[in-house]
Amino acid sequence: MGTRPHQAQPALVLFALAVGAFAIGTTEFAAMSLLPFFARDLGIDVPTAGHAISAYALGVVAGAPVIAAFGARLPRRHLLIGLMALFAIGNGLSALSPSYGWMLVFRFLSGVPHGAYFGVAALVAAKLVPIEKRAQAIARVMSGLTIATVLGVPVANWMGQALGWRSGFFVVTALAIATMTLVALYAPRDAGDPKASAARELTALAKPQVWLTLLTGAIGFGGLFAVYTYVASTMIEVTGVSEVWVPVILMIFGVGMTIGNLVAAWMADRALNRTVILVLLWSAGALALFPLMAGNIWTLSLIIFLIGAGGGLGTPLQARLMDVSGDAQTLAAALHHSAFNVANALGPWLGGMAIAAGYGLTSTGWIGAALALGGLAVFLLSIALQQRTTRMIAVPAE
């Protein structure tokens, strides 16, 4: 029979999965920076072009539960390859979009496999290592997404300016094809779960702990996006620096997110719940300091790094979903990324309301801090209910 690839080369399996995460992270964040270019080419204004970002997020939210529920019985290796194939097709067609309407359709299609890919990849990564190292394995996969904010997004933006916006989406298509090849070579060749079914996966939706964990991410992550969305405008209008600083600050954010992801995963393997609490407190503090530190480029750089580090929340929450979802892990893991995209909509929306109300661009920091504390409140409620349930179960045995 020979040695299975995942037994002999776990590092290569994690690398293959991380390349897919890098591709997804690049298209998710780079699309925002390419807006002015495809807006001009397709004959629409920038706000209208922004609906393409929303279409992608809608694809993530809609696709994750459907694919996870109905694909749970498939071998995870085959499912990963299929998801990346759909992702490659969506981005390739996005690059060929003849009109704004088709662009919306193709961006929605590109988003459909996003959540399911990350969910399944996290489950595969966790199976490669002992349980006390699973969060770190998941973090190595997720590092592909965080590194994309440091390298992939600037490169895609540069190509969009030099070679046309379509080239940015073609690069993502090539990365998706590379991921399919690497997954086919190195991912575990395990059989599918014959007991899995859409009905079993949907049992995750009946578990309050699953919903509370998802809600923690949907609210708690929103604070980070409230600041990130408007940081370029804040730099130009409040900090008073040239536009050339914008990609530098965004790269600093990406470095913070990458380091925060790895550190939070290391902590989560030792104390999962405490890590979630500490990261949310960290985020609340950093976001609250943003209005006070946005006036100077050096203090802004520091606080953006610290805010980015709060992005380490994702991996501990992914690990907790594995603990509370029972036999419905595929759906629960995929829904984590739907919640992430809810945060991506909620934070900017609330931040925009504060700005429109006249509180200024830096008010996004206060909005972000409130969201981080809101996520913390939900998580503390989750722990309290879990402890209460545990005590109730333990009573008959006493």
Side-chain angles (χ1 to χ4, degrees):
M1 295 280 295
T3 303
R4 288 183 177 180
H6 71 288
Q7 292 174 323
Q9 300 170 306
L12 287 174
V13 181
L14 294 175
F15 174 75
L17 298 175
V19 173
F22 182 85
I24 292 175
T26 298
T27 198
E28 183 176 23
F29 288 95
M32 301 177 192
S33 67
L34 293 173
L35 274 180
F37 307 111
F38 69 74
R40 182 168 58 246
D41 189 42
L42 297 177
I44 53 178
D45 58 28
V46 170
T48 302
H51 295 318
I53 308 300
S54 301
Y56 181 91
L58 184 60
V60 177
V61 174
V66 174
I67 294 174
F70 290 97
R73 185 175 293 185
L74 296 173
R76 287 172 176 166
R77 176 172 170 271
H78 295 169
L79 185 54
L80 287 168
I81 293 172
L83 290 168
M84 266 296 123
L86 180 59
F87 183 74
I89 292 169
N91 280 278
L93 291 173
S94 296
L96 299 172
S97 297
S99 67
Y100 168 64
W102 281 112
M103 184 67 163
L104 290 179
V105 172
F106 297 147
R107 292 318 292 156
F108 176 87
L109 180 64
S110 299
V112 166
H114 175 131
Y117 176 84
F118 275 119
V120 175
L123 295 175
V124 171
K127 289 287 187 181
L128 294 171
V129 298
I131 192 169
E132 66 270 14
K133 294 185 177 180
R134 62 174 180 170
Q136 293 174 77
I138 296 169
R140 289 176 66 179
V141 175
M142 292 299 296
S143 66
L145 187 149
T146 60
I147 292 172
T149 64
V150 182
L151 297 177
V153 174
V155 169
N157 184 260
W158 172 81
M159 290 189 66
Q161 295 185 50
L163 304 174
W165 63 270
R166 298 177 190 273
S167 65
F169 291 112
F170 277 132
V171 167
V172 172
T173 303
L175 287 168
I177 294 171
T179 302
M180 292 169 60
T181 304
L182 291 168
V183 169
L185 288 172
Y186 299 117
R189 287 177 166 81
D190 296 344
D193 183 357
K195 297 180 180 179
S197 66
R200 192 180 80 173
E201 289 297 322
L202 290 172
T203 62
L205 302 181
K207 299 178 186 295
Q209 288 298 329
V210 169
W211 283 108
L212 289 170
T213 304
L214 292 171
L215 191 59
T216 299
I219 297 174
F221 254 128
L224 181 149
F225 287 112
V227 168
Y228 184 87
T229 302
Y230 301 102
V231 69
S233 299
T234 303
M235 290 174 61
I236 295 168
E237 297 184 28
V238 178
T239 315
V241 296
S242 167
E243 292 181 3
V244 299
W245 278 94
V246 173
V248 176
I249 293 297
L250 295 182
M251 287 179 68
I252 291 172
F253 173 89
V255 171
M257 201 172 188
T258 301
I259 295 173
N261 176 50
L262 297 174
V263 172
W266 179 85
M267 293 169 58
D269 279 329
R270 286 150 180 81
L272 179 56
N273 290 345
R274 289 181 184 177
T275 300
V276 174
I277 293 169
L278 287 172
V279 173
L280 285 167
L281 286 172
W282 172 287
S283 291
L287 289 161
L289 287 172
F290 177 73
L292 305 177
M293 301 179 72
N296 178 280
I297 189 60
W298 303 112
T299 56
L300 177 70
S301 300
L302 173 61
I303 201 62
I304 285 296
F305 173 85
L306 298 179
I307 291 172
L313 179 65
T315 296
L317 288 181
Q318 185 84 81
R320 179 168 172 80
L321 281 169
M322 293 180 182
D323 290 338
V324 300
S325 58
D327 293 330
Q329 292 199 2
T330 304
L331 178 59
L335 284 173
H336 174 57
H337 296 276
S338 294
F340 186 89
N341 277 269
V342 170
N344 198 359
L346 178 65
W349 176 62
L350 292 176
M353 287 180 64
I355 295 168
Y359 292 104
L361 285 162
T362 59
S363 65
T364 55
W366 296 112
I367 295 295
L371 286 169
L373 291 175
L376 177 60
V378 172
F379 189 70
L380 292 176
L381 173 63
S382 173
I383 294 175
L385 290 175
Q386 189 175 43
Q387 290 175 342
R388 180 185 176 190
T389 302
T390 302
R391 286 195 299 269
M392 291 174 65
I393 293 173
V395 167
E398 292 178 351

